[in-house]
């Protein structure tokens, strides 16, 4: 290339120079080819999902983000691409090769490492050939027994295969297997039309080990960790994109019947991957803060000699702050855990310690005080996006696990807490929630297809938010988000009322005030709610007529408790009290909705829905005896046999016996048809035409069900119809009114959608302690006022008395002070608890409780026995503002 500098011909007197570039002949030809019109299309990377501009006529391209080659035109496999049509991964064959190689090593009796490596080369060659070809993996580790027909892989044989490799005296065959797997993942080609090969690689032990700092075996090395990390990120990406393939249903089926330990391991692996990516974000924030301080220039070099990892990407020892970053998109370079020395320190720190984290380097420390993950730090991170999408698939599969009484598989549904990622406790949840509120997402499953439904030449405009994946957020984070939204709604309603009062020239309450009589609590509450439908979203204030007291939270708690107790009383007839389970459920609706007697009763179902919603909206705990089926229906989750068994355990046991009976005389033994018979409590009901008893009603479970006998072939359908009748159809009217009342409060509160049924129950009812309360934990967070301290004799006696009392009395103490004997969903340590001194003298008066502030007021009693006697009278005989 020639560069000439000439003066401009237009103005000879000018000193401006004109730069003339004369490209060589090769560049001219290249420019000529570029000047020709080229059709550019946007194609998504099959791994990270990045939109890449490519020529329209190419058959494949390589992504510059994840370095994976995407095939645009399917390639037909030829015999040259297949190593051996009979080659499979086999534990037996691998074991025979290992024994032959080890015997050869022993016979050589040489200390030369090269000779040993050469003797073990057949092992490396065998695993490389197997893991370099997806077709070999597809026909390997197939389930052999009928008990494994529900799985895609024989996980026991696969585990033995990996253990054999990890017991070798050298890590070379294992490392070669990892490299072969990585080559296959980088150029998958037609392999993405299948899934078994991917699940086999996903189960390699170091796929999980590489994300932790713990050394697991002699095989642990920076090289193995680095390659394992490459496998981890690509497996997660491919599996997260499986929803757009025809293998999605097969994968869901595999997850549904997967062994509980393996399923939990998958959840933990993905959570570890998310945690690692978030740790990198936190590390970069720390590093940026340190780079701003010139006094810490030597911080990164002080312990360089102690670095366990030797890598060219050592971002700790580089003084240039841009090293380790991708200049193309200003995103950090994709470093493996082996390339992040500081990560080793961060892994040893629990999330609970992050607020006070101290990383000692050269006598200096780094403290990310009040650190919060901002949306800008993770919303464009393709690692986190793909991991969350895959976790969404596992969460959907988890909702389908278990629930079948005749299946003896170890596939119980996991608790919601198993999916929590504790690193997200340090999420800027308000900012993330605001991003989520702007999204218009129909349901969770649609999230899997949203990204792929956009035009090819456009990037997906949907912003990423962790609230789209609420199963990752702990219950405490979700509660704080709800408190943030409800507080904002209450403030808006108060401001709106204030402005309306100025505009209309009359007083408008900024609170939702309820005035009730203690003896007519149900009637007065229903009247107040009906008359103030527009005030339900205001901050609630309760006043008991002819009683002293200003509501600062305590009266509101008492109103909720007394009202729910009244509504659930057997005399109201609103609920059936099931003796077998000691739970309450809606009665079967045998009368029409137009019935005036039933219509007056139905108002109470609407009232209960409003009351329960108000309790959640105002942060109060209720003592409810509903089964899990209610909360699952509220969250629109699918009901299972386990839900019915919890409510009707005796009937469920009989249904299981029927399902397990396999005799040919089934129809003659049971003599059942598709209909159900139940008793009604309505005295004026004359019964059905088929039933001779006046209070017995028979209903068909399907059309012409009385003429359809239950047989071996349709008995499962009969049980499904039976459960659907008792949990859904028969209670449709009363539950519909209940949910209408609930939605009247929460229709505009989106944070309620973050909670699963399990979390919704804990949020509403708290955690009930069945044996003993953890008062040691409560004592550690208790605050003292008026001169009391933790070592004051009265305080010491108080805690000793509580520890000595039985469970019921402990509950009465908690209810006396807080108006509820239940522990908050986030634990007793989150309960605000205070003990104050009434006076510096002995007294005959009883202790006093301020339930508004969870405060107990004690006198300076002269003895422990006197304190115990006064406290017992106070907690067992008190009601309202006095002694009953």
């Amino acid at each position: 290339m020639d560069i000439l500098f000439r003066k401009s011909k237009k103005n000879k007197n000018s000193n401006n120079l004109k730069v003339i570039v004369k490209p060589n002949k090769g560049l001219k030809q290249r420019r000529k080819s570029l000047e020709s019109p080229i059709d550019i299309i946007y194609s998504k990377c099959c791994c990270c999902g990045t939109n890449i501009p490519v020529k329209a006529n190419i058959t494949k391209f390589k992504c510059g983000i994840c370095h994976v080659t995407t095939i645009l035109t399917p390639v037909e496999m030829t015999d040259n691409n297949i190593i051996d049509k009979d080659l499979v991964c086999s534990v037996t064959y691998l074991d025979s090769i290992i024994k032959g190689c080890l015997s050869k090593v022993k016979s050589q009796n040489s200390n030369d490492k090269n000779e040993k490596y050469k003797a073990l080369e057949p092992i490396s060659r065998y695993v490389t050939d197997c893991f370099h070809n997806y077709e070999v993996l597809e026909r390997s580790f197939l389930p052999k027994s009928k008990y494994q027909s529900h799985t895609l892989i024989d996980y026991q044989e696969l585990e033995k295969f990996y253990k054999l490799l990890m017991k070798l005296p050298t890590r070379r065959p294992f490392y070669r297997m990892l490299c072969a797997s990585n080559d296959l993942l980088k150029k998958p080609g037609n392999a993405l039309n299948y899934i078994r090969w991917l699940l086999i690689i996903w189960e390699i032990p170091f796929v999980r080990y590489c994300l932790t700092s713990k050394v697991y075996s002699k095989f642990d090395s920076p090289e193995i960790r680095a390659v394992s990390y490459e496998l981890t990120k690509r497996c997660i990406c491919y599996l997260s994109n499986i929803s757009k393939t025809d293998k999605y249903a097969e994968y869901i089926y595999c997850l549904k019947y997967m062994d509980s330990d393996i399923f939990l391991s998958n959840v933990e692996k993905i959570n570890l991957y998310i945690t690692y990516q978030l740790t990198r974000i936190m590390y970069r924030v720390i590093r940026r803060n340190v780079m701003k301080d010139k006094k810490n220039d030597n911080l990164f070099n002080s312990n360089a000699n102690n670095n366990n990892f030797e890598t060219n990407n050592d971002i700790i020892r580089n003084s240039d702050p841009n090293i380790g970053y991708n200049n193309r998109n200003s995103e950090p370079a994709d470093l493996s855990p082996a390339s992040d020395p500081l990560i080793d320190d961060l892994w040893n720190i629990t999330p609970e310690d992050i607020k006070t984290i101290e990383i000692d380097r050269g006598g200096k420390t780094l403290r990310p005080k009040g650190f919060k993950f901002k949306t800008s730090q993770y919303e464009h991170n393709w690692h986190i996006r793909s991991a969350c999408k895959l976790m969404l698939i596992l969460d959907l599969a988890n909702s389908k696990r278990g629930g079948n009484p005749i299946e003896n598989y170890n596939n119980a549904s996991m608790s919601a807490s198993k999916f929590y990622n504790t690193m997200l406790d340090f999420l800027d949840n308000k900012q993330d929630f605001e991003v989520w509120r702007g999204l218009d997402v129909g349901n969770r499953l649609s999230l899997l297809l949203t990204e792929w439904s956009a035009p090819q030449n456009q990037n997906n405009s949907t912003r990423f938010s962790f609230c789209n994946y609420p199963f990752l957020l702990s219950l405490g984070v979700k509660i704080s988000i709800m408190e943030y939204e409800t507080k904002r709604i209450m403030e808006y309603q108060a401001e709106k009322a204030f402005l309306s009062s100025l505009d209309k020239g009359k007083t408008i309450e900024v609170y939702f005030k309820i005035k009730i009589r203690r003896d007519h609590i149900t009637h007065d509450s229903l009247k107040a709610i009906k008359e103030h439908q527009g005030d339900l979203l205001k901050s609630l204030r309760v006043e008991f007529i002819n009683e002293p007291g200003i509501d600062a939270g305590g009266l509101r708690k008492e109103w909720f408790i007394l009202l729910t107790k009244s509504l659930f009383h057997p005399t109201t007839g609103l609920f059936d009290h099931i003796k077998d389970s000691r739970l309450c459920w809606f009665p079967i609706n045998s009368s029409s909705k137009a019935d005036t007697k039933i219509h007056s009763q139905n108002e109470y179902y609407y009232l209960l829905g409003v009351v329960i919603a108000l309790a959640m909206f105002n942060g109060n705990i209720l003592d409810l005896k509903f089964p899990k089926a209610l909360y699952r229906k509220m969250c629109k989750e699918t009901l299972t046999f386990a839900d019915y068994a919890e409510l009707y355990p005796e009937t469920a046991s009989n249904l299981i016996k029927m399902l397990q009976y396999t005799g040919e005389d089934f129809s003659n033994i049971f003599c059942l048809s598709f209909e159900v018979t139940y008793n009604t409590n309505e005295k004026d009901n004359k019964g059905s035409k088929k039933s001779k008893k006046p209070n017995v009603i028979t209903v068909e479970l399907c059309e012409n069900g009385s003429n359809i006998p239950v047989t071996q072939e349709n008995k499962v359908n009969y049980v499904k119809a039976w459960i659907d009748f008792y949990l859904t159809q028969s209670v449709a009217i009363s539950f519909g009114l209940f949910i209408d009342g609930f939605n009247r409060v929460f229709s505009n509160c989106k944070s309620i959608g973050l909670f699963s049924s399990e979390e919704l129950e804990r949020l509403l009812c708290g955690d009930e302690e069945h044996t003993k309360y953890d008062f040691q934990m409560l004592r550690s967070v208790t605050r003292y006022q008026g001169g009391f301290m933790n070592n004051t004799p009265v305080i010491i006696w108080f805690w000793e008395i509580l520890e000595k009392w039985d469970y019921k009395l402990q509950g009465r103490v908690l209810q006396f002070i807080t108006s509820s004997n239940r522990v908050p969903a986030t634990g007793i340590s989150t309960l605000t608890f205070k003990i104050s001194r009434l006076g510096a003298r002995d007294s005959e008066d009883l202790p006093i409780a301020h339930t508004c502030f969870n405060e107990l007021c004690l006198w300076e009693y002269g003895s422990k026995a006197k304190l115990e006697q006064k406290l017992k009278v106070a907690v067992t005989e008190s009601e309202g503002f006095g002694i009953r």
Side-chain angles (χ1 to χ4, degrees):
M1 179 184 296
D2 298 327
I3 303 177
L4 304 178
F5 297 90
R6 295 180 181 176
K7 288 189 176 182
S8 175
K9 293 181 179 180
K10 294 182 179 180
N11 189 358
K12 296 182 179 180
N13 297 324
S14 174
N15 293 325
N16 294 334
L17 294 177
K18 184 178 181 181
V19 181
I20 300 176
V21 180
K22 288 187 175 182
N24 55 32
K25 187 177 180 181
L27 288 176
K28 286 183 178 180
Q29 293 177 351
R30 197 178 307 162
R31 177 179 293 179
K32 186 176 181 180
S33 63
L34 290 174
E35 289 175 355
S36 60
I38 300 175
D39 293 332
I40 299 295
I41 62 173
Y42 284 80
S43 295
K44 282 187 177 292
C45 172
C46 63
C47 181
C48 64
T50 305
N51 278 326
I52 307 293
V54 296
K55 295 181 182 179
N57 58 350
I58 67 171
T59 59
K60 61 182 179 180
F61 68 90
K62 184 177 181 180
C63 177
I65 305 299
C66 61
H67 310 294
V68 167
T69 300
T70 301
I71 303 296
L72 298 179
T73 304
V75 180
E76 294 184 4
M77 296 296 297
T78 61
D79 293 339
N80 296 330
N81 296 337
I82 302 176
I83 299 175
D84 186 354
K85 292 183 178 180
D86 297 327
L87 180 65
V88 294
C89 289
S90 169
V91 173
T92 305
Y93 188 62
L94 177 63
D95 188 41
S96 63
I97 296 178
I98 291 175
K99 289 180 179 178
C101 292
L102 292 179
S103 62
K104 186 176 180 179
V105 171
K106 289 181 180 180
S107 63
Q108 289 177 348
N109 195 18
S110 173
N111 293 327
D112 187 2
K113 289 186 177 180
N114 293 327
E115 292 294 329
K116 291 182 179 180
Y117 290 149
K118 188 179 294 185
L120 297 174
E121 181 61 23
I123 304 175
S124 300
R125 191 164 52 249
Y126 170 66
V127 296
T128 301
D129 292 343
C130 289
F131 282 80
H132 217 287
N133 191 292
Y134 77 91
E135 291 189 345
V136 176
L137 296 178
E138 278 292 315
R139 55 176 177 262
S140 304
F141 307 110
L142 295 170
K144 297 180 177 59
S145 64
K146 63 179 182 179
Y147 300 103
Q148 297 176 332
S149 59
H150 58 282
T151 64
L152 296 177
I153 296 173
D154 187 346
Y155 284 98
Q156 293 181 352
E157 185 179 5
L158 181 60
E159 184 182 6
K160 293 178 182 177
F161 186 89
Y162 291 137
K163 283 185 176 180
L164 282 176
L165 288 176
M166 295 176 67
K167 289 180 180 179
L168 292 173
T170 175
R171 64 170 67 99
R172 181 167 294 187
F174 189 81
Y175 180 72
R176 293 271 294 274
M177 180 193 71
L178 295 179
C179 292
S181 302
N182 191 37
D183 292 340
L184 178 58
L185 290 171
K186 289 172 71 174
K187 297 181 180 179
N190 295 337
L192 294 181
N193 297 325
Y194 305 90
I195 187 176
R196 293 189 67 260
W197 69 276
L198 192 57
L199 297 179
I200 290 172
I201 297 177
W202 176 238
E203 291 300 321
I204 294 177
F206 271 90
V207 166
R208 173 173 179 160
Y209 298 162
C210 72
L211 298 172
T212 63
S213 62
K214 183 179 178 182
V215 177
Y216 285 88
S217 68
K218 63 181 181 181
F219 275 70
D220 204 339
S221 69
E223 295 80 8
I224 284 183
R225 281 178 174 264
V227 180
S228 298
Y229 175 72
E230 296 294 311
L231 302 184
T232 304
K233 69 180 183 181
R234 293 191 174 97
C235 283
I236 288 177
C237 286
Y238 289 142
L239 289 173
S240 67
N241 295 329
I242 204 170
S243 59
K244 64 184 180 67
T245 68
D246 55 358
K247 293 295 179 181
Y248 174 68
E250 188 177 1
Y251 185 45
I252 288 291
Y253 183 82
C254 173
L255 293 173
K256 177 181 177 181
Y257 292 102
M258 185 178 286
D259 186 85
S260 295
D261 293 336
I262 301 175
F263 185 84
L264 180 60
S265 176
N266 284 341
V267 173
E268 291 175 347
K269 275 190 286 189
I270 303 170
N271 256 331
L272 278 173
Y273 184 74
I274 296 173
T275 301
Y276 171 69
Q277 302 302 332
L278 292 172
T279 306
R280 290 176 60 206
I281 293 174
M282 184 177 68
Y283 159 72
R284 292 195 299 271
V285 173
I286 297 173
R287 185 172 179 274
R288 259 187 230 112
N289 293 337
V290 173
M291 294 301 296
K292 292 178 182 179
D293 188 358
K294 295 182 179 180
K295 295 180 181 180
N296 291 330
D297 284 342
N298 297 325
L299 178 64
F300 297 97
N301 297 318
S302 58
N303 286 334
N305 295 330
N306 296 327
N307 187 7
N308 294 325
F309 303 110
E310 295 179 0
T311 170
N312 294 329
N313 292 326
D314 192 346
I315 54 181
I316 294 298
R317 286 176 286 185
N318 285 324
S319 59
D320 185 0
N322 293 322
I323 292 178
Y325 284 77
N326 189 330
N327 294 328
R328 179 180 179 183
N329 53 11
S330 299
E331 281 293 313
D334 186 18
L335 302 176
S336 69
S339 304
D340 283 343
L342 187 56
I343 297 297
D344 183 63
D345 294 310
L346 294 177
W347 272 123
N348 297 322
I349 301 165
T350 61
E352 291 76 11
D353 297 332
I354 290 180
K355 291 182 180 179
T356 58
I357 180 176
E358 293 185 6
I359 304 175
D360 189 6
R361 291 295 177 92
K364 300 178 182 180
T365 61
L366 300 94
R367 283 190 184 182
K369 291 183 179 180
F371 177 81
K372 294 288 184 181
F373 292 106
K374 305 295 183 181
T375 55
S376 59
Q377 295 171 334
Y378 57 78
E379 65 177 346
H380 300 298
N381 189 308
W382 62 274
H383 300 276
I384 294 178
R385 278 176 173 265
S386 57
C388 290
K389 286 169 60 180
L390 179 55
M391 191 69 93
L392 174 59
I393 295 176
L394 265 66
D395 180 65
L396 292 172
N398 186 58
S399 64
K400 301 177 182 294
R401 289 171 59 86
N404 195 325
I406 60 176
E407 293 177 345
N408 296 321
Y409 305 130
N410 181 24
N411 67 328
S413 178
M414 296 292 167
S415 171
S417 60
K418 299 296 183 182
F419 288 81
Y420 293 163
N421 190 300
T422 52
M423 281 293 287
L424 294 179
D425 288 350
F426 305 97
L427 180 72
D428 189 343
N429 47 56
K430 295 179 182 178
Q431 188 184 56
D432 192 89
F433 174 69
E434 291 298 339
V435 171
W436 179 66
R437 286 182 73 249
L439 303 181
D440 186 13
V441 180
N443 52 61
R444 291 186 181 183
L445 186 57
S446 67
L447 289 173
L448 298 171
L449 306 175
T450 300
E451 184 178 356
W452 296 94
S453 63
Q456 285 188 329
N457 61 345
Q458 296 180 6
N459 290 325
N460 184 15
S461 60
T462 302
R463 295 189 64 185
F464 177 84
S465 169
F466 277 111
C467 288
N468 267 324
Y469 308 93
F471 43 82
L472 293 173
L473 304 177
S474 65
L475 184 57
V477 173
K478 295 175 185 177
I479 291 176
S480 64
I481 291 175
M482 173 174 278
E483 290 175 347
Y484 163 72
E485 186 181 24
T486 55
K487 181 181 179 181
R488 191 177 58 182
I489 292 174
M490 290 179 184
E491 290 174 350
Y492 170 75
Q493 292 292 329
E495 181 181 351
K496 183 180 176 182
F498 175 74
L499 294 176
S500 297
S501 64
L502 294 178
D503 183 48
K504 297 179 181 180
K506 62 178 182 179
T507 304
I508 299 178
E509 287 289 347
V510 296
Y511 299 108
F512 175 27
K513 289 189 175 181
I514 295 180
K515 295 183 179 181
I516 53 173
R517 296 167 292 176
R518 190 178 289 272
D519 296 336
H520 300 81
I521 188 168
T522 304
H523 176 269
D524 292 353
S525 299
L526 177 60
K527 181 180 178 182
I529 289 175
K530 289 175 66 176
E531 293 177 352
H532 297 84
Q533 288 287 303
D535 296 336
L536 297 178
L537 299 182
K538 295 179 180 179
S539 182
L540 180 62
R541 294 291 186 271
V542 176
E543 177 183 344
F544 287 95
I545 298 176
N546 297 327
E547 291 188 18
I550 298 175
D551 188 11
L555 297 181
R556 185 173 65 226
K557 292 179 185 178
E558 187 175 8
W559 174 70
F560 280 122
I561 293 173
L562 294 177
L563 181 57
T564 52
K565 186 181 294 185
S566 173
L567 291 173
F568 279 91
H569 197 276
T571 57
T572 62
L574 291 177
F575 296 97
D576 288 340
H577 296 259
I578 313 302
K579 294 182 180 179
D580 296 339
S581 60
R582 296 183 180 181
L583 297 172
C584 298
W585 191 240
F586 300 95
I588 297 175
N589 303 125
S590 58
S591 302
S592 65
K593 193 173 182 179
D595 192 321
T596 55
K597 180 180 178 182
I598 298 300
H599 179 70
S600 62
Q601 190 181 41
N602 285 343
E603 290 185 330
Y604 288 107
Y605 291 119
Y606 178 84
L607 169 65
L608 180 63
V610 172
V611 169
I612 288 179
L614 286 175
M616 296 175 62
F617 197 77
N618 289 272
N620 290 99
I621 296 175
L622 301 179
D623 186 11
L624 302 179
K625 300 297 182 183
F626 279 124
K628 291 180 174 59
L630 174 73
Y631 307 102
R632 293 177 69 88
K633 286 170 69 69
M634 292 173 67
C635 294
K636 298 181 181 180
E637 297 177 1
T638 304
L639 300 180
T640 64
F641 185 86
D643 298 314
Y644 179 83
E646 181 193 21
L647 185 59
Y648 302 103
E650 186 176 349
T651 307
S653 177
N654 294 331
L655 289 174
I656 291 175
K657 292 177 181 178
M658 183 199 70
L659 290 172
Q660 293 175 342
Y661 188 81
T662 58
E664 296 180 357
D665 56 346
F666 180 90
S667 299
N668 296 329
I669 292 293
F670 292 98
C671 300
L672 296 172
S673 59
F674 274 73
E675 55 185 0
V676 61
T677 302
Y678 62 91
N679 296 326
T680 177
N681 296 326
E682 298 176 20
K683 297 181 180 180
D684 56 343
N685 194 295
K686 298 180 180 179
S688 66
K689 295 181 180 180
K690 295 182 180 181
S691 178
K692 297 180 181 180
K693 298 181 180 180
N695 290 335
V696 176
I697 296 178
T698 301
V699 177
E700 293 181 336
L701 296 177
C702 62
E703 186 177 353
N704 197 27
S706 58
N707 297 322
I708 302 177
V710 180
T711 62
Q712 285 282 12
E713 291 74 22
N714 63 15
K715 62 182 181 181
V716 174
N717 294 333
Y718 170 75
V719 172
K720 290 181 179 179
W722 178 285
I723 295 173
D724 183 63
F725 173 78
Y726 276 99
L727 298 185
T728 304
Q729 294 183 14
S730 64
V731 300
I733 297 176
S734 52
F735 177 77
L737 292 167
F738 167 81
I739 204 66
D740 286 344
F742 184 85
N743 291 334
R744 180 65 184 82
V745 177
F746 275 105
S747 58
N748 295 322
C749 187
K750 290 191 175 183
S751 57
I752 192 66
L754 299 175
F755 296 88
S756 65
S757 59
E758 179 185 341
E759 294 167 331
L760 194 66
E761 181 181 8
R762 292 181 61 193
L763 174 66
L764 183 59
C765 303
D767 290 331
E768 184 178 9
E769 303 289 344
H770 296 282
T771 55
K772 199 172 184 180
Y773 293 92
D774 189 1
F775 283 118
Q776 289 293 335
M777 179 63 71
L778 181 61
R779 183 176 184 176
S780 65
V781 297
T782 299
R783 294 185 293 112
Y784 303 100
Q785 289 184 347
F788 278 154
M789 292 185 294
N790 191 42
N791 57 355
T792 304
V794 174
I795 298 300
I796 296 174
W797 296 339
F798 172 75
W799 293 114
E800 289 177 352
I801 291 169
L802 286 188
E803 291 290 346
K804 184 182 68 174
W805 280 359
D806 59 17
Y807 163 73
K808 290 185 177 181
L809 266 180
Q810 288 179 345
R812 296 296 295 269
V813 172
L814 206 60
Q815 186 167 3
F816 173 71
I817 303 172
T818 67
S819 292
S820 176
N821 62 348
R822 290 176 174 261
V823 175
T826 50
I828 199 169
S829 61
T830 60
L831 184 66
T832 304
F833 199 78
K834 183 167 56 177
I835 302 179
S836 302
R837 186 167 65 172
L838 288 171
R841 58 182 178 80
D842 195 358
S843 176
E844 298 299 323
D845 295 337
L846 297 174
I848 300 173
H850 299 299
T851 56
C852 303
F853 312 104
N854 297 336
E855 180 181 12
L856 175 65
C857 302
L858 296 175
W859 295 94
E860 194 82 43
Y861 293 109
S863 65
K864 181 179 178 180
K866 187 174 184 179
L867 171 62
E868 183 174 8
Q869 185 265 330
K870 296 294 182 181
L871 186 62
K872 183 176 291 187
V873 172
V875 302
T876 57
E877 302 296 333
S878 62
E879 184 178 77
F881 284 88
I883 302 297
R884 61 178 173 218

